[in-house]
Amino acid sequence: MSEWKAFTVESKDHVAQVTLTGPGRGNAMGPDFWHELPLIFGELSADPDVRAIVLTGSGKHFSYGLDLPAMSPLFGPLLQDRALARPRTNFLKQIREMQAAVTAVADCTKPIIAAVSGWCIGGGLDLIAAVDVRLASADAKFSLREAKVAIVADIGSLHRLPGIIGEGHLRELAYTAKDIDAARAEKIGLVSDVYADQEAVLDAAHAMAREIALNPPLVVQGIKDVLDQPKVGRVADGLRYVSVWNAAFLPSEDITEAIQSVFEKREPEFKGK
């Protein structure tokens, strides 16, 4: 495997562990994350020795989501030149590259188990929506946070979570941008089980991965392919639609206010402009 800046990757006994490492606080997702994610899962998908994957975060948290300071160049030109085609076209291209990074996780031929502790926010939720099984520690907290930063979530949570938690629960999380704890996440089906602490959930994820790895690998991959087939086209169409929607409508006074409030460490005041 290659050397990575935003991840570590280890493999033993047919099970790989992919760990988010930042460098942003709380494993926030900056440029290195979006560049490396599809490369890593492409390699793991093609590696015949890997039969199952555990995905987790370093430190206390899974991920704080998008690293806004590091990714601000993504938004800056669009907000400065609202009416021009070039910044909108560039923004659309970047959205689709980020979508493709998470889709590479969903398309990985090997089953993926997420072991989530601490915060899993925004892009973190997009990421775990693309895996096969989600487990959590008791301290885990989840938030589909995009509405609070004046963005329509566009990396996959709105398209993959209906099949996981149902549309009603998804609409509540998306409209309110509220935080939910591990107990609520288990109740609505976002996670399969909750464990006492970070060590316990990681152990449980590895135990499940080892159990999967004992089965015929091509059969397991075939099961995943058959289960995924009905949703592939629907998700792809939805991602394409939301990328165009955001490229057209995302420039606003509200998103400028959201970004400024993050840097100024205060509550935003949205005006619907």
Side-chain angles (χ1 to χ4, degrees):
M1 295 293 292
S2 305
E3 293 294 324
W4 309 103
K5 296 179 180 179
F7 299 88
T8 60
V9 182
E10 303 170 297
S11 185
K12 181 182 178 181
D13 298 332
H14 303 301
V15 174
Q17 179 173 314
V18 179
T19 306
L20 284 67
T21 60
R25 183 169 173 260
N27 304 318
M29 299 169 170
D32 289 331
F33 172 92
W34 298 106
H35 171 69
E36 294 176 354
L37 184 68
L39 300 178
I40 289 170
F41 280 89
E43 288 189 16
L44 293 174
S45 188
D47 187 344
D49 190 57
V50 173
R51 299 185 180 185
I53 301 166
V54 173
L55 177 64
T56 194
S58 62
K60 296 181 179 179
H61 303 286
F62 183 78
S63 179
Y64 284 173
L66 190 69
D67 188 338
L68 280 174
M71 298 297 290
S72 58
L74 174 68
F75 300 101
L78 184 69
L79 300 179
Q80 293 169 10
D81 303 307
R82 297 180 185 179
L84 299 182
R86 176 55 59 191
R88 291 178 187 272
T89 301
N90 291 341
F91 184 71
L92 176 63
K93 179 176 181 290
Q94 291 177 49
I95 292 175
R96 289 183 172 170
E97 287 175 355
M98 293 165 69
Q99 290 176 338
V102 174
T103 296
V105 177
D107 288 347
C108 181
T109 58
K110 316 300 171 61
I112 306 166
I113 305 158
V116 181
S117 298
W119 280 108
C120 179
I121 303 172
L125 200 54
D126 289 314
L127 180 56
I128 67 167
V131 310
D132 297 275
V133 180
R134 289 150 296 278
L135 307 177
S137 60
D139 70 340
K141 292 181 283 188
F142 304 83
S143 182
L144 186 53
R145 188 68 62 86
E146 281 84 350
K148 288 193 175 183
V149 289
I151 298 173
V152 175
D154 56 10
I155 309 299
S157 55
L158 297 184
H159 309 96
R160 295 187 173 99
L161 285 178
I164 298 169
I165 65 175
E167 191 168 306
H169 291 306
L170 173 57
R171 286 176 182 265
E172 178 186 353
L173 296 182
Y175 295 157
T176 64
K178 70 198 304 180
D179 306 333
I180 62 170
D181 61 16
R184 177 74 194 283
E186 183 181 23
K187 182 177 181 180
I188 66 176
L190 179 60
V191 300
S192 299
D193 288 292
V194 176
Y195 297 85
D197 54 32
Q198 187 175 37
E199 182 180 1
V201 71
L202 190 58
D203 287 345
H206 275 277
M208 185 182 296
R210 289 193 297 271
E211 188 175 10
I212 292 169
L214 291 174
N215 289 327
L218 296 182
V219 171
V220 172
Q221 292 169 40
I223 293 169
K224 178 168 181 173
D225 185 48
V226 170
L227 289 172
D228 286 347
Q229 191 278 329
K231 63 185 179 183
V232 169
R234 173 181 57 79
V235 171
D237 289 345
L239 289 172
R240 187 171 183 83
Y241 181 87
V242 74
S243 66
V244 173
W245 197 98
N246 265 352
F249 290 98
L250 185 136
S252 66
E253 292 182 11
D254 280 345
I255 192 171
T256 301
E257 167 64 10
I259 293 171
Q260 287 178 345
S261 70
V262 169
F263 284 103
E264 296 170 6
K265 298 181 180 180
R266 59 174 175 79
E267 290 296 317
E269 296 182 15
F270 298 127
K271 299 179 180 178
K273 295 182 180 180

